[in-house]
Amino acid sequence: VRCDAVWTNARLMTMREGLGVVEDGMVAARDGYIVHAGPRIDVDGAEIHDCQRRWITPGLIDPHTHLVFAGNRAHEFQMRLDGASYADIGRAGGGILSTVRLTRAASEDELIAQALPRLDALLRDGVTTVEIKSGYGLTLDDELKMLRAAKALEHHRLVRVVTTLLAAHAVPPEHDADSYIDEVCDRIIPAAVGLADAVDAFCEGIGFTPAQAERVFQAAQAHGLPVKLHAEQLSNRNGAALAARYNALSADHLEYLDNAGIHEMARSGTVATLLPGAFYVMRETRLPPIAALRAAGVSMALATDCNPGTAPITSLLAILNMAATLFRMTVEECLLGVTAHAARALGRSGIGVLEAGRRCDLAVWDIGEPAELVYWLGNSPLHARVVNGKAV
Ligand SMILES: [Zn+2]
């Protein structure tokens, strides 16, 4: 096989059919693509990386974040610890609209500068692809500014960014919900074509109704954009079933998902993106229906949900530990959740698995066995990151 770089003397988790372990393995790349991932073979003309028995996984994928925002909400966190209610915080000008105010006031460059330290933390955990949503602008110009800032992160770091328009995140103060959905469908979605890879909405009692989410889906599909949904986080609104009927890439959160929703998701192949970090921060007690999702064959992905309100979390490996500890997911499920299944949640068939034809995005780990990636909390055993065949 002719190639330009190889990683050899490695143990592989290919993530084909489970972990897909190869004990004496090699990954060979040409022009940024994997040309071989499996047992050692003879290769020509390559730059050789001796991995000294380290493990290689596909570069990790964080498929649900709100990484771009201005300011933070540490002050509100402290107010809640001191006994303030959400209503108190709202009266003090807090909550999501405080992030909206700061994000509107920030320039695109300021948003990039504030997002970079959070991105760097994710990269130290072996992340090579990150999904980033808009949703703190809530005007045409500010939503597009957020999407441009998210995309621009690719020029600052070696990483893939997948963007999602989440204009239907909250009702901005200058609109009522229905007039804002008109704005989202008639102006913001058409303007986001080419900048957003997908369209999302927040379907919840404190967000938008299923009927409003459906209008967003119809507008997105009319513009050729795939959809996804924040669904069933705090109550069951049958949002996941609605999303599945629109062939959503993923439905996300899902603590209150019921059997009818699971059935629709299985039928459409919609991925369940689970967010144990928000569950932890919000001290939720209602678990997503993991066993029923598993039994129905719904693919489960895992993400940080990094956001200033409910998940100020910048470690994807910490999320793996939370998924295992809080949600009782297996090591294999956790690792599939940030590789092969996360790729499906983003509609990206070119990443997430080590096999010929996919992008050569790798994470090389100083670990003795796969479970260590789920076991450690607050310690990244990352040795090297590779994006498009280029070692960082
Ligand atoms: Zn979210």
Side-chain angles (χ1 to χ4, degrees):
V1 174
R2 210 168 51 75
C3 55
D4 40 47
V6 299
W7 287 262
T8 189
N9 193 19
R11 291 181 277 180
L12 311 182
M13 285 178 248
T14 64
M15 309 315 293
R16 290 179 67 172
E17 294 165 32
L19 294 179
V21 168
V22 178
E23 273 295 332
D24 187 9
M26 167 194 275
V27 177
R30 186 169 66 229
D31 299 331
Y33 289 88
I34 295 172
V35 292
H36 172 76
R40 269 203 247 201
I41 56 170
D42 288 333
V43 294
D44 307 322
E47 170 189 314
I48 309 261
H49 303 265
D50 180 349
C51 295
Q52 300 176 316
R53 303 281 296 149
R54 291 186 180 89
W55 284 85
I56 300 179
T57 63
L60 303 191
I61 300 167
D62 189 347
H64 179 143
T65 85
H66 308 252
L67 197 77
V68 168
F69 57 85
N72 67 59
R73 305 230 289 271
H75 177 64
E76 291 173 26
F77 175 74
Q78 185 170 8
M79 283 176 70
R80 275 194 285 138
L81 292 176
D82 292 341
S85 69
Y86 282 99
D88 296 333
I89 290 167
R91 274 192 297 274
I96 189 169
L97 291 178
S98 73
T99 300
V100 171
R101 267 194 311 278
L102 293 171
T103 302
R104 285 179 176 179
S107 68
E108 192 177 316
D109 284 343
E110 286 165 349
L111 291 178
I112 293 167
Q114 292 194 36
L116 279 171
R118 296 189 281 270
L119 178 62
D120 284 336
L122 289 178
L123 303 188
R124 285 195 292 275
D125 273 4
V127 168
T128 54
T129 297
V130 59
E131 186 259 18
I132 303 176
K133 301 176 194 295
S134 68
Y136 297 117
L138 311 183
T139 67
L140 173 65
D141 288 347
D142 291 308
E143 287 292 300
L144 298 184
K145 176 180 72 181
M146 286 188 73
L147 293 173
R148 284 194 305 268
K151 271 284 177 210
L153 294 171
E154 285 187 338
H155 303 299
H156 293 265
R157 297 292 185 272
L158 205 47
V159 66
R160 289 179 206 287
V161 173
V162 177
T163 52
T164 301
L165 177 71
L166 178 60
H169 190 196
V171 181
E174 56 277 8
H175 276 286
D176 63 59
D178 280 315
S179 77
Y180 182 56
I181 292 295
D182 289 342
E183 174 75 4
V184 171
C185 295
D186 299 344
R187 292 185 67 227
I188 302 180
I189 288 173
V193 172
L195 256 181
D197 297 305
V199 173
D200 194 349
F202 182 41
C203 182
E204 192 56 71
I206 56 169
F208 294 93
T209 64
Q212 290 161 341
E214 184 161 17
R215 291 190 53 208
V216 171
F217 289 170
Q218 287 170 345
Q221 290 194 343
H223 289 87
L225 290 166
V227 300
K228 44 182 52 205
L229 192 67
H230 285 68
E232 272 77 88
Q233 180 185 8
L234 306 170
S235 61
N236 181 13
R237 310 243 147 197
N238 302 311
L242 170 71
R245 286 197 294 280
Y246 281 82
N247 292 311
L249 293 171
S250 67
D252 302 35
H253 284 293
L254 304 176
E255 278 78 354
Y256 286 80
L257 179 65
D258 64 12
N259 283 329
I262 293 169
H263 176 78
E264 289 287 338
M265 290 178 70
R267 196 190 48 74
S268 65
T270 298
V271 174
T273 298
L274 305 174
L275 306 170
F279 176 95
Y280 161 80
V281 170
M282 301 303 286
R283 299 195 189 111
E284 298 289 351
T285 53
R286 165 105 173 199
L287 290 164
I290 304 289
L293 287 164
R294 188 184 282 141
V298 175
S299 296
M300 293 181 277
L302 290 165
T304 59
D305 193 19
C306 178
N307 77 72
T310 60
I313 297 170
T314 56
S315 169
L316 193 55
L317 293 178
I319 292 299
L320 298 188
N321 184 273
M322 290 182 195
T325 304
L326 301 173
F327 290 180
R328 302 294 167 118
M329 290 172 67
T330 66
V331 166
E332 180 178 305
E333 285 170 338
C334 288
L335 292 171
L336 283 168
V338 291
T339 55
H341 293 173
R344 291 192 46 208
L346 298 179
R348 295 290 171 106
S349 57
I351 55 175
V353 177
L354 301 183
E355 66 182 356
R358 301 231 189 189
R359 293 282 184 175
C360 185
D361 291 1
L362 313 176
V364 185
W365 305 99
D366 274 316
I367 54 172
E369 58 185 299
E372 278 194 64
L373 292 180
V374 181
Y375 162 76
W376 294 109
L377 190 56
N379 160 31
S380 173
L382 185 74
H383 174 72
R385 220 165 53 84
V386 176
V387 178
N388 255 345
K390 289 187 182 59
V392 180

